[in-house]
């Protein structure tokens, strides 16, 4: 599954998303607040104890599958978008002759909604957790688990991340603005995400779902539309979204890729099943969008070519050797978490996204000459 850093970027550079988040003071996170085992009201889609078992099994078997680059093992605990990302990552590692990291998750906090009458399946819940060894980091992993049918296995079908704890600063300290991402320095992208508000809970302890989830999910199509453009023609500002590291800065970042030798066109579309939309303490909704990015790179006419660093992910999926191409089409997968306000006249806020380093799924190229 997704890890904090990627092995190699498409151009051959290691891309680490450098979040300006710092560390916490090491305090224990809030209790998971998961749903009770039983009550006279609406029942949770899964009990806390069972959810803990699902999470523990996933963490154990996912680490083993990653270490062995085992497609079959991964398919037993993952499905949907997340499984496609894992299998693509394994294939890249096999072609490169490298190993994946057997990372573990720790300190889970469960987001378990109540059953919805008349629509019992598929059922979903989510888990916020820390990467083991990085428990003091302010960001958390967010895993979504789904059970497709009664008695079926619970499998993870999407993974994202969010900043879940505020920075520890003195009362007199003022925030330092984040430098805008730049193509001039591919090795690190610095952003300053908004902290994820708490998930609203019912009196019984279940995580509340939005009662406008279908309308809320429309933000995913809007985000895909916003990010689809040919560099440098992307519009950084858009009334539908608040400016920030995953909106205006991201568009500027890709606009900076334009030069006289190469053309870049980005096209996004929504994919995967609709994930649960949680109600936040602010009254807004938390929407997880799983997107596919189609990125076409073309050499300048009439004879321009495209070349990727030898051994980079893109080069490996093109057959290796750092060869020249007339054009290259890359398909990648990413997940974005978006806060959608109840008042649609207000702009949505993209809280987090894999936009700067999406998981490469496939590559095709048209040879030069």
């Amino acid at each position: 599954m997704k890890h904090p850093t990627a092995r190699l970027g498409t151009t051959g550079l290691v891309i680490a998303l450098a979040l300006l988040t710092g560390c916490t003071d090491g305090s224990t996170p809030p209790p998971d607040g998961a749903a009770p085992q039983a009550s006279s009201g609406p029942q949770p889609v899964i009990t806390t104890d069972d959810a803990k078992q699902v999470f523990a099994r996933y963490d154990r078997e996912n680490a083993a599958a990653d270490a062995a680059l085992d497609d079959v093992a991964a398919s037993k605990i993952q499905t949907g978008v997340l499984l496609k990302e894992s299998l693509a990552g394994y294939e890249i590692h096999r072609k490169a002759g490298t190993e994946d990291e057997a990372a573990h998750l720790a300190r889970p906090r469960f987001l378990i909604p109540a059953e919805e009458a008349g629509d019992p399946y598929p059922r979903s819940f989510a888990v916020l957790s820390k990467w083991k060894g990085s428990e003091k980091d302010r960001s958390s992993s967010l895993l979504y688990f789904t059970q497709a049918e009664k008695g079926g296995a619970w499998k993870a079908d999407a993974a994202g991340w969010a900043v879940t704890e505020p920075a520890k600063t003195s009362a007199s300290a003022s925030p330092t603005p984040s430098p805008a991402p730049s193509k001039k320095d591919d090795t690190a992208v610095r952003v300053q995400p908004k902290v994820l508000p708490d998930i609203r809970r019912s009196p019984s302890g279940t995580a509340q779902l939005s009662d406008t989830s279908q309308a809320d999910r429309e933000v995913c199509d809007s985000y895909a539309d916003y990010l689809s453009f040919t560099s440098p023609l992307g519009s950084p500002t858009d009334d539908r979204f608040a400016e920030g590291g995953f909106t205006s800065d991201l568009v500027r970042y890709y606009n900076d890729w334009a030069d006289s030798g190469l053309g870049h066109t980005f096209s996004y579309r929504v994919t995967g099943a609709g994930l649960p939309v949680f109600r936040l303490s602010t009254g807004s909704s938390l929407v997880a969008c799983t997107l596919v990015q189609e990125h076409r790179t073309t050499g300048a006419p009439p004879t321009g070519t495209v070349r990727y660093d030898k051994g980079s992910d893109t080069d490996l999926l093109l057959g290796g050797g750092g060869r020249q191409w007339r054009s290259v089409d890359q398909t990648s997968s990413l997940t974005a978490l978006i806060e959608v306000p109840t008042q649609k006249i207000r702009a949505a806020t993209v809280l987090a996204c894999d936009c700067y380093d999406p998981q490469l799924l496939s590559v095709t190229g048209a040879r030069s000459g």
Side-chain angles (χ1 to χ4, degrees), residues 329-344:
D329 291 294
Q330 302 174 72
T331 300
S332 301
S333 177
L334 58 117
T335 300
L337 293 181
I338 304 179
E339 181 182 359
V340 179
T342 52
Q343 297 177 335
K344 296 301 186 285

Side-chain angles (χ1 to χ4, degrees), residues 120-123 146-154:
Y121 294 94
R123 295 178 172 181
T146 296
Q147 184 185 43
E149 58 188 7
K150 185 175 182 179
W154 285 92

